[in-house]
Amino acid sequence: MRVGVLTGGGDCPGLNAVIRGIVRKGVQEYGYDFVGYRDGWRGPLEGDTMRLDIPAVRGILPRGGTIIGSSRTNPLKHENGIRRIKENLAKQEVDALVAIGGEDTLGVAARLGDEYGIDIVGVPKTIDNDLSATDYTFGFDTAVNIATEAIDRLHTTAESHMRVLVCEVMGRHAGWIALHSGLAGGANVVLIPEQRFDVDQVCAWVTSRFKASYAPIVVVAEGAMPKDGDMVLKDGSLDSFGHVRLSGVGEWLAKEIERRTGKEARTTVLGHVQRGGTPSAFDRWLATRFGLHAIEAVRDGDFGKMVALRGTDIVRVPIAEATARLKTVDPGLYAEAGVFFG
Amino acid sequence: MRVGVLTGGGDCPGLNAVIRGIVRKGVQEYGYDFVGYRDGWRGPLEGDTMRLDIPAVRGILPRGGTIIGSSRTNPLKHENGIRRIKENLAKQEVDALVAIGGEDTLGVAARLGDEYGIDIVGVPKTIDNDLSATDYTFGFDTAVNIATEAIDRLHTTAESHMRVLVCEVMGRHAGWIALHSGLAGGANVVLIPEQRFDVDQVCAWVTSRFKASYAPIVVVAEGAMPKDGDMVLKDGSLDSFGHVRLSGVGEWLAKEIERRTGKEARTTVLGHVQRGGTPSAFDRWLATRFGLHAIEAVRDGDFGKMVALRGTDIVRVPIAEATARLKTVDPGLYAEAGVFFG
Amino acid sequence: MRVGVLTGGGDCPGLNAVIRGIVRKGVQEYGYDFVGYRDGWRGPLEGDTMRLDIPAVRGILPRGGTIIGSSRTNPLKHENGIRRIKENLAKQEVDALVAIGGEDTLGVAARLGDEYGIDIVGVPKTIDNDLSATDYTFGFDTAVNIATEAIDRLHTTAESHMRVLVCEVMGRHAGWIALHSGLAGGANVVLIPEQRFDVDQVCAWVTSRFKASYAPIVVVAEGAMPKDGDMVLKDGSLDSFGHVRLSGVGEWLAKEIERRTGKEARTTVLGHVQRGGTPSAFDRWLATRFGLHAIEAVRDGDFGKMVALRGTDIVRVPIAEATARLKTVDPGLYAEAGVFFG
Amino acid sequence: MRVGVLTGGGDCPGLNAVIRGIVRKGVQEYGYDFVGYRDGWRGPLEGDTMRLDIPAVRGILPRGGTIIGSSRTNPLKHENGIRRIKENLAKQEVDALVAIGGEDTLGVAARLGDEYGIDIVGVPKTIDNDLSATDYTFGFDTAVNIATEAIDRLHTTAESHMRVLVCEVMGRHAGWIALHSGLAGGANVVLIPEQRFDVDQVCAWVTSRFKASYAPIVVVAEGAMPKDGDMVLKDGSLDSFGHVRLSGVGEWLAKEIERRTGKEARTTVLGHVQRGGTPSAFDRWLATRFGLHAIEAVRDGDFGKMVALRGTDIVRVPIAEATARLKTVDPGLYAEAGVFFG
């Protein structure tokens, strides 16, 4: 049995831990061979591989990034993409694939499996934690820890100068990082993409915080949006929600708060710092177990499935089902956090 | 409504986050008053209280320890203990208690509720993560992160000197911290209290690791025990399993490995470092939510219950049931990790 | 003897450690009284004080910020500012001042001492490490550690996506943070305010790094400037060098690199995260010793002096001399680091 | 020109940064070749080498340990040791050596240079910071940061339980780590090898701390010793000062404090955690500069010298002089810290 492994989409701490788990168990317990496909779907599309054996995975557990590279290549958008992948798998005698990725990567995996009969097991990956069907995805805990530590640091400088500090964190479509790090960091306002925010309400919270002689921290997800009336942005900075936007909602909001409350406001944009570097212990544990269970699914011939976390158990769910719906922040959960706002 | 809050047993990062959650929601949403009972059950036993209002809980979220103190006082072992507690609650016009603690503290809480009609809501707390009925307890993630970071550091010094490094972590009756940090840290051997270990097997793993030109890291829970044949300990160091034992299993094991393999071995005992200091983001999130849900249970009059984590939900379970059984490491989970040993 | 203490200018980890050192030694060894002047020079200007005794400084050593607040108030710009300060000191029976601050705060201190006969001892404070007369200032080491950790994290995400990552760090007039963190983080390009940079040279380094199959990290001080030919900025983003500028040089440079090399580039702006939170061990040590030596200078009646670090010794230098010249990065030192560029 | 590089003695964060600095500058600026000698003096003694070029040093800056291994081999104690080294250097066409190590390694280097005419440049390395002639050695700052973080964590658990916590840190002959981390961590007692301690005085400090309603943290260097009257140790645990001694002074002291004050005391022994893992930013900076200046000394033919830090400058001093005297804690500096004891 020869198994191909690929990682697609954005960087996420824990990718290497998944790869190591797959290879260690696959080689040692099942006697499998592995090939690493380089840069996501580009690898099987172009037949670009690298050695992936026990020595190759030594020491990679604590390292961020992915030793086999990643990309956003979508083979469905390439002419004869599917045929080329099938030919390359055949030529390289690869019997099955483990695809580690987010919505896009797994969406391709689901179609390759369902429509073209390629044997694939999926491993969910999104720093934003917005895949349904799994309680958590690896990388998320690391991002939340990094954002929380930043918020911790911002508190003291906010207090010393009695300024508003706005911290923009990742989360284009779901506010999980903002909500978790905001709550863990003791932020006074948390704004998420799931609910358009009212700048006047934000300013009221900011003002009430100052009245209690404390300085406010506002955590805002990069995808959070003000209500319609506030959308007249002359510089168009909210138009292009690239992943690290420096003229993004954080900066815009700081300016609005300054304008409306007369208080100084400053912005920090954490950007890629949140998705690089060594994974937290939780993410290493989760990613390692995802790897072990993914190769077990291959051994069981249980293709078209994705591993997922439910409570403390790793389970298997159909890939297609898992990616069908974005997991956004539940309004009740967001309301629960509201007790700390202002 | 006036609610008493107490924290019992060993220190655990997140206790202050629970207290803050209870008080913020209780005061702001329900208009309750609070009293802090000092030093666990000693507080209500002796009527020793402290102010617990919004200003008292400001800034405590990121701090380890507990602002209301803790102890291992067991009122059931004091003459007229129950009567004195009931009298003090009545005198101080306290209508309900929130008891934050582990097996012992909650065991008392269950009996005070069931047998003596005191209105109590429980919040589970154990650094060891060994309470059944909840997926995780706060403090555990922090301890695992600290132990993992220590193991990360031990790797390089092990490699540079080709030595065995033994890292003793907490866990008297359950090996959760050892298993999680061992897996997350890439340890080569993980020994837990649930399975007596075979020193010869450990030495075989150690030797095989050296043969692969790598230096082994052995993570051992403080409560792990060798098999019977190995128990002849002349200095009796395994007899007294105090929580930070310096002549404990770690030191003993390092000596045995040196004796049997001829390789140098060194021990690190992390001790209380694992249970102090600022909580991880996960633990702040979990502890805060436990606090919010505990005071909600009080509001609902749902006494005799303990809050618990199931997946991503906070649920309520009977206190008595929750403490009935120690949650130990599942043999299947331990076996799953075995692929990384040696 | 009653001594007033004030902290002026921007936030800096270690301010509280200085205050604690002053008060502990002053009270315990010399029997002095202290008053804390709130918010820098605003305190003595308006006679606004707070209690500053042993209990007030308990537990503040590891905390960022300053318990007595800070501001950029300049009493020389207030009508009768000097007279009001002298009156308030007299009214509050304050015999001497310890002023902790940067160029501006100490500049005022020097004039109050030299021209108006107020007894002042200075403690240097600048996150940017740009005060001559002292080898290091506290806060700098913390900022460098935070920036270095961020650069560490950016490496893996740069490698995984083969992108350029630009990290903008503090340093308006001096490139110390950029140079130290860039070297410590293994950056491939470090740009500092002391030398205008050539974007084509930066692009050449970036390209050569990619040719070696690695992804480049560019560290740029917020005050770094391109050479004249590159200054035609249509959006004017380099005009207003506010301390956390989101349309600053980092973002501008990333866009230029993209445009000229065709490679994707992303920016992270660390902002206030660098100057908040708990100080590093070095900064706690340095700040504590500055505090101990400042109060010793008061005891010796050695006014008009500032404490400074020379090697491992704390010495005293005239305040006026110390602030006369900005300490910028030596061209030789910058050239030394050049071996790692590209 | 071909240059050999070796690292001797105990592990120290920053070794790889030195090696990288040497190789990057040596290859890129001077066109030198390098050979890595494995495991300290064992390498040239046995002619055991490894490749050491630009690719070999990629990515090693943030890693603890040493990629070329280390040992305590002393060629002066091997028959014909010197002759064998000279023969191997000749055979491998190595023109000069850079020896990175502590007192022992550099002591050998001095003799090989002075008595046997081998061209050697030294780089000082000691985690304990006890080499005279240099203000600081790399690795020390990392160790102090790790110990300080541990002390920070111990504070909260000490306060919550009103216990004494004893933290044993490295330092066999010099108390630098204990003094710096004790001061930075806000310890209440710091005990160093340079001054025998009086257990009754320690107990008096402990008791006075409890009277102020705080719990004491005692930091003790592994080489600290009680005064003679206290030396009757029935278990002989103070006799063998191995580097991680679990029946060491920390445990002994905790027991004595318990016995004499009646207060609970617990011990943490940080051990090898202090010398492994990624270096702090300061240590990466210092180690990198040591490397750059060491190869510059080779280029200048300035042999028999060691690089050293003086203030912010890297200077060269005779190796023999540098290792002649142990740099211990100055009594005045220790007395200065005494204001925080008790």
Side-chain angles (χ1 to χ4, degrees):
Chain A
M1 184 86 168
R2 169 171 289 177
V3 181
V5 180
L6 64 87
T7 52
D11 200 18
C12 204
L15 286 168
N16 284 327
V18 178
I19 296 169
R20 174 176 170 268
I22 291 170
V23 173
R24 288 290 294 266
K25 191 178 179 94
V27 171
Q28 294 175 201
E29 299 201 354
Y30 306 143
Y32 292 171
D33 277 342
F34 289 90
V35 297
Y37 278 113
R38 286 184 195 275
D39 303 339
W41 289 111
R42 194 188 66 73
L45 191 68
E46 303 181 3
D48 191 2
T49 66
M50 61 177 281
R51 196 172 56 93
L52 197 57
D53 50 15
I54 297 284
V57 301
R58 278 222 197 275
I60 68 172
L61 171 63
R63 298 209 198 138
T66 162
I67 58 165
I68 54 180
S70 187
S71 75
R72 298 196 186 276
T73 300
N74 184 343
L76 301 173
K77 294 180 178 166
H78 285 251
E79 206 176 346
N80 299 322
I82 304 298
R83 189 169 55 75
R84 286 162 60 194
I85 286 180
K86 294 189 83 161
E87 282 172 9
N88 282 322
L89 295 181
K91 204 188 318 173
Q92 288 150 355
E93 299 180 351
V94 168
D95 304 297
L97 280 179
V98 180
I100 310 163
E103 230 187 333
D104 295 342
T105 305
L106 296 180
V108 171
R111 289 194 58 193
L112 290 188
D114 292 351
E115 301 175 22
Y116 303 98
I118 299 176
D119 288 340
I120 304 187
V121 165
V123 176
K125 180 233 63 159
T126 149
I127 197 95
D128 291 342
N129 198 37
D130 57 1
L131 266 189
S132 54
T134 185
D135 283 358
Y136 292 105
T137 46
F138 60 86
F140 171 67
D141 184 62
T142 304
V144 171
N145 271 309
I146 291 168
T148 300
E149 201 188 307
I151 298 167
D152 278 358
R153 291 195 173 274
L154 293 176
H155 270 291
T156 58
T157 192
E159 301 289 337
S160 298
H161 295 283
M162 282 315 208
R163 272 180 192 160
V164 184
L165 284 176
V166 175
C167 184
E168 185 183 306
V169 300
M170 286 191 305
R172 262 189 276 188
H173 307 296
W176 292 109
I177 292 178
L179 183 61
H180 275 245
S181 66
L183 220 73
N188 310 107
V189 183
V190 174
L191 305 174
I192 60 176
E194 288 86 346
Q195 297 200 10
R196 284 181 176 258
F197 60 85
D198 177 341
V199 182
D200 284 329
Q201 171 66 73
V202 171
C203 290
W205 281 326
V206 159
T207 304
S208 102
R209 178 76 177 168
F210 277 119
K211 279 200 183 122
S213 291
Y214 286 84
I217 307 284
V218 178
V219 173
V220 56
E222 59 184 332
M225 303 273 276
K227 290 197 171 161
D228 286 350
D230 295 318
M231 283 295 290
V232 191
L233 298 176
K234 294 225 173 64
D235 62 352
S237 63
L238 281 189
D239 291 353
S240 57
F241 280 118
H243 209 79
V244 177
R245 293 157 313 123
L246 287 177
S247 316
V249 66
E251 191 192 14
W252 177 83
L253 182 59
K255 283 177 188 158
E256 283 300 302
I257 291 173
E258 285 200 340
R259 197 172 62 78
R260 299 186 191 198
T261 68
K263 295 284 183 183
E264 270 191 299
R266 293 286 181 278
T267 311
T268 284
V269 179
L270 290 177
H272 277 59
V273 168
Q274 296 162 88
R275 68 188 322 151
T278 195
S280 71
F282 179 89
D283 282 338
R284 296 187 197 180
W285 167 259
L286 178 58
T288 297
R289 293 194 71 206
F290 272 175
L292 299 178
H293 283 257
I295 197 64
E296 203 171 76
V298 170
R299 197 265 328 254
D300 294 347
D302 196 7
F303 298 110
K305 296 286 177 61
M306 181 189 93
V307 293
L309 179 71
R310 294 277 170 82
T312 60
D313 294 326
I314 309 294
V315 300
R316 298 174 194 161
V317 298
I319 298 179
E321 179 186 299
T323 59
R325 199 173 51 81
L326 195 72
K327 184 176 70 175
T328 52
V329 172
D330 178 72
L333 194 61
Y334 186 60
E336 189 180 297
V339 70
F340 298 110
F341 295 179
Chain B
M1 185 85 168
R2 168 170 291 176
V3 181
V5 179
L6 64 87
T7 53
D11 200 18
C12 205
L15 285 168
N16 285 327
V18 178
I19 296 169
R20 174 175 171 270
I22 291 169
V23 172
R24 289 290 295 266
K25 191 179 179 93
V27 170
Q28 294 174 202
E29 299 202 353
Y30 306 143
Y32 292 171
D33 277 341
F34 288 90
V35 296
Y37 277 114
R38 285 182 194 276
D39 303 340
W41 289 112
R42 194 188 66 71
L45 191 68
E46 302 182 3
D48 191 4
T49 65
M50 62 177 281
R51 196 171 57 93
L52 197 57
D53 50 15
I54 298 283
V57 301
R58 277 222 197 273
I60 68 172
L61 172 64
R63 298 209 199 138
T66 162
I67 57 165
I68 55 178
S70 186
S71 75
R72 299 196 186 275
T73 300
N74 184 342
L76 301 173
K77 292 180 179 165
H78 284 252
E79 206 175 345
N80 300 322
I82 303 299
R83 190 169 53 77
R84 284 163 60 195
I85 285 180
K86 296 189 80 162
E87 283 172 8
N88 282 322
L89 295 181
K91 204 187 316 172
Q92 288 149 353
E93 298 179 350
V94 168
D95 304 297
L97 280 179
V98 180
I100 309 162
E103 230 188 332
D104 295 342
T105 304
L106 295 180
V108 170
R111 289 195 56 194
L112 290 189
D114 292 352
E115 300 175 23
Y116 302 98
I118 299 176
D119 287 340
I120 304 186
V121 165
V123 175
K125 180 232 60 160
T126 149
I127 196 95
D128 292 342
N129 198 36
D130 58 0
L131 266 189
S132 54
T134 185
D135 283 357
Y136 292 105
T137 46
F138 60 86
F140 171 67
D141 183 63
T142 304
V144 171
N145 271 309
I146 292 169
T148 300
E149 199 188 309
I151 297 167
D152 277 359
R153 291 196 173 273
L154 293 176
H155 271 291
T156 58
T157 193
E159 300 291 336
S160 298
H161 296 284
M162 283 313 210
R163 271 179 191 160
V164 184
L165 284 175
V166 175
C167 184
E168 186 183 307
V169 299
M170 287 191 304
R172 262 189 275 188
H173 307 296
W176 293 109
I177 292 177
L179 184 61
H180 276 243
S181 65
L183 220 73
N188 311 106
V189 183
V190 174
L191 305 174
I192 61 176
E194 288 86 347
Q195 295 201 13
R196 284 182 176 258
F197 62 84
D198 177 342
V199 181
D200 284 330
Q201 172 66 72
V202 171
C203 291
W205 281 325
V206 159
T207 304
S208 103
R209 177 77 178 168
F210 277 119
K211 277 200 184 124
S213 290
Y214 287 84
I217 306 283
V218 178
V219 172
V220 56
E222 60 184 331
M225 303 272 278
K227 289 195 170 160
D228 286 351
D230 295 318
M231 283 295 291
V232 192
L233 298 176
K234 291 222 176 67
D235 63 352
S237 63
L238 281 189
D239 290 354
S240 57
F241 280 117
H243 210 81
V244 176
R245 294 156 312 123
L246 287 177
S247 316
V249 65
E251 190 190 16
W252 177 83
L253 181 60
K255 283 177 187 158
E256 282 300 302
I257 291 172
E258 284 201 340
R259 198 172 61 78
R260 297 184 194 200
T261 68
K263 296 283 184 184
E264 269 190 302
R266 293 285 182 278
T267 311
T268 283
V269 180
L270 290 177
H272 277 60
V273 168
Q274 295 162 88
R275 69 187 324 151
T278 196
S280 70
F282 180 90
D283 282 338
R284 296 187 197 179
W285 165 260
L286 179 59
T288 296
R289 294 194 71 206
F290 272 176
L292 299 178
H293 282 258
I295 197 65
E296 202 171 75
V298 169
R299 198 264 330 251
D300 294 348
D302 196 6
F303 298 109
K305 295 288 176 57
M306 180 187 94
V307 292
L309 179 70
R310 295 277 170 80
T312 59
D313 294 326
I314 310 294
V315 300
R316 297 175 194 161
V317 297
I319 298 178
E321 182 186 297
T323 59
R325 198 174 51 81
L326 195 73
K327 183 176 71 176
T328 53
V329 173
D330 177 72
L333 194 62
Y334 186 60
E336 188 180 296
V339 71
F340 297 108
F341 295 179
Chain C
M1 183 84 167
R2 169 171 289 176
V3 182
V5 180
L6 64 87
T7 53
D11 201 17
C12 204
L15 286 168
N16 285 326
V18 178
I19 296 169
R20 174 176 170 268
I22 291 169
V23 173
R24 289 290 295 266
K25 190 178 180 93
V27 171
Q28 294 174 202
E29 299 203 353
Y30 305 144
Y32 292 171
D33 277 341
F34 289 90
V35 297
Y37 278 114
R38 286 184 196 275
D39 303 340
W41 289 112
R42 195 188 64 72
L45 191 68
E46 303 182 2
D48 190 3
T49 66
M50 62 177 281
R51 196 172 55 93
L52 197 57
D53 51 14
I54 298 284
V57 301
R58 278 221 196 275
I60 68 172
L61 171 64
R63 298 211 198 136
T66 161
I67 58 165
I68 55 179
S70 187
S71 75
R72 298 196 186 276
T73 300
N74 184 342
L76 300 174
K77 293 180 178 164
H78 285 252
E79 206 176 345
N80 299 321
I82 304 298
R83 190 170 52 76
R84 284 163 62 194
I85 286 180
K86 294 190 83 161
E87 282 172 7
N88 282 323
L89 295 181
K91 204 186 317 171
Q92 288 150 355
E93 299 178 353
V94 168
D95 304 296
L97 280 179
V98 181
I100 310 162
E103 229 187 334
D104 295 342
T105 305
L106 295 180
V108 171
R111 288 194 57 194
L112 289 189
D114 292 351
E115 301 175 22
Y116 302 99
I118 299 176
D119 288 340
I120 304 187
V121 166
V123 176
K125 179 232 65 159
T126 149
I127 196 93
D128 291 341
N129 198 37
D130 57 2
L131 267 189
S132 55
T134 185
D135 283 357
Y136 292 105
T137 46
F138 60 87
F140 171 68
D141 184 63
T142 304
V144 171
N145 271 308
I146 292 168
T148 301
E149 199 187 310
I151 298 167
D152 278 359
R153 291 195 173 274
L154 293 176
H155 270 292
T156 59
T157 192
E159 301 289 336
S160 299
H161 295 284
M162 281 315 207
R163 271 182 192 159
V164 184
L165 283 176
V166 176
C167 184
E168 186 184 307
V169 300
M170 287 189 305
R172 262 189 275 186
H173 307 296
W176 293 109
I177 292 178
L179 184 61
H180 276 245
S181 66
L183 220 73
N188 310 107
V189 182
V190 173
L191 305 174
I192 61 176
E194 288 85 347
Q195 298 200 11
R196 284 183 176 258
F197 60 84
D198 177 341
V199 181
D200 283 329
Q201 172 65 72
V202 171
C203 290
W205 281 327
V206 158
T207 305
S208 103
R209 177 78 177 167
F210 277 119
K211 278 199 184 121
S213 290
Y214 287 83
I217 306 283
V218 178
V219 172
V220 56
E222 60 182 332
M225 303 271 278
K227 289 196 170 159
D228 286 351
D230 295 319
M231 282 296 289
V232 191
L233 299 177
K234 293 223 175 66
D235 62 352
S237 62
L238 281 190
D239 290 354
S240 58
F241 280 116
H243 209 81
V244 176
R245 294 156 313 123
L246 287 175
S247 317
V249 66
E251 191 191 15
W252 177 84
L253 182 59
K255 282 176 188 159
E256 283 301 301
I257 292 172
E258 286 201 339
R259 196 171 63 79
R260 298 185 193 200
T261 68
K263 296 285 183 182
E264 269 191 300
R266 292 285 182 278
T267 311
T268 283
V269 180
L270 290 177
H272 277 59
V273 167
Q274 295 162 89
R275 67 186 326 147
T278 195
S280 71
F282 180 88
D283 282 338
R284 297 187 197 180
W285 166 261
L286 178 59
T288 296
R289 293 194 71 206
F290 272 175
L292 298 179
H293 282 258
I295 197 64
E296 205 171 74
V298 170
R299 198 264 330 252
D300 294 348
D302 196 6
F303 298 109
K305 296 287 177 60
M306 180 189 93
V307 292
L309 179 71
R310 293 276 171 83
T312 60
D313 294 325
I314 309 294
V315 300
R316 297 174 194 162
V317 297
I319 298 178
E321 179 185 300
T323 58
R325 198 174 50 81
L326 195 73
K327 184 176 69 176
T328 52
V329 172
D330 177 71
L333 193 62
Y334 186 60
E336 188 180 298
V339 70
F340 298 109
F341 295 178
Chain D
M1 184 84 167
R2 170 170 288 177
V3 181
V5 180
L6 64 88
T7 53
D11 200 18
C12 205
L15 286 168
N16 284 326
V18 178
I19 296 169
R20 173 176 171 269
I22 291 169
V23 173
R24 288 291 293 267
K25 190 177 180 95
V27 170
Q28 293 174 202
E29 299 202 352
Y30 306 143
Y32 293 170
D33 275 341
F34 289 90
V35 296
Y37 278 113
R38 286 183 193 278
D39 304 339
W41 289 112
R42 195 188 65 72
L45 192 68
E46 303 182 3
D48 191 3
T49 65
M50 62 178 281
R51 196 172 55 93
L52 197 57
D53 50 14
I54 298 283
V57 301
R58 277 222 197 274
I60 68 172
L61 172 63
R63 299 210 197 136
T66 161
I67 58 165
I68 54 179
S70 186
S71 75
R72 298 195 186 276
T73 300
N74 184 342
L76 301 173
K77 293 181 178 163
H78 285 252
E79 207 174 347
N80 299 322
I82 304 298
R83 190 169 54 75
R84 285 163 61 195
I85 286 180
K86 296 190 81 163
E87 282 171 8
N88 282 322
L89 295 180
K91 204 187 315 172
Q92 289 151 355
E93 298 178 351
V94 168
D95 304 296
L97 279 179
V98 181
I100 310 162
E103 230 187 331
D104 295 342
T105 304
L106 295 181
V108 170
R111 289 195 55 195
L112 290 189
D114 293 351
E115 301 175 22
Y116 303 98
I118 299 176
D119 287 339
I120 304 187
V121 166
V123 176
K125 180 233 62 160
T126 149
I127 196 96
D128 291 342
N129 197 37
D130 57 1
L131 267 189
S132 54
T134 186
D135 284 357
Y136 292 105
T137 45
F138 61 85
F140 171 68
D141 183 63
T142 304
V144 171
N145 271 308
I146 293 169
T148 300
E149 199 187 309
I151 298 167
D152 277 359
R153 292 196 172 274
L154 293 176
H155 270 290
T156 59
T157 193
E159 300 291 335
S160 298
H161 295 285
M162 283 313 209
R163 272 180 191 159
V164 184
L165 283 176
V166 176
C167 184
E168 186 183 306
V169 300
M170 287 190 305
R172 263 188 275 188
H173 306 297
W176 293 109
I177 293 178
L179 184 61
H180 276 244
S181 66
L183 219 72
N188 310 106
V189 183
V190 173
L191 306 173
I192 61 177
E194 288 86 346
Q195 295 201 12
R196 285 183 176 257
F197 61 84
D198 177 342
V199 182
D200 284 328
Q201 172 65 73
V202 171
C203 290
W205 281 326
V206 159
T207 304
S208 102
R209 177 80 176 166
F210 276 119
K211 276 199 185 125
S213 290
Y214 286 84
I217 306 283
V218 179
V219 172
V220 56
E222 61 182 333
M225 304 271 278
K227 290 198 169 159
D228 286 350
D230 295 319
M231 283 295 291
V232 192
L233 299 176
K234 291 222 174 67
D235 63 353
S237 62
L238 281 191
D239 290 354
S240 56
F241 281 117
H243 209 81
V244 175
R245 294 156 313 123
L246 287 176
S247 317
V249 65
E251 189 190 16
W252 177 84
L253 182 59
K255 283 177 187 157
E256 282 301 301
I257 291 172
E258 285 201 339
R259 197 173 61 78
R260 298 186 193 198
T261 67
K263 295 284 183 182
E264 269 191 302
R266 292 284 181 280
T267 310
T268 283
V269 180
L270 290 178
H272 278 58
V273 168
Q274 294 162 89
R275 70 188 321 151
T278 195
S280 70
F282 179 89
D283 283 337
R284 295 187 197 180
W285 166 260
L286 179 59
T288 296
R289 293 194 71 206
F290 272 176
L292 298 178
H293 283 257
I295 197 65
E296 203 171 75
V298 169
R299 198 263 331 251
D300 294 347
D302 196 8
F303 297 110
K305 295 287 176 58
M306 180 188 93
V307 293
L309 179 70
R310 293 277 169 83
T312 59
D313 294 326
I314 309 294
V315 300
R316 298 175 195 161
V317 296
I319 299 179
E321 179 186 300
T323 59
R325 197 174 51 81
L326 195 73
K327 184 177 70 176
T328 52
V329 173
D330 176 73
L333 194 62
Y334 186 60
E336 188 180 297
V339 70
F340 298 109
F341 294 179

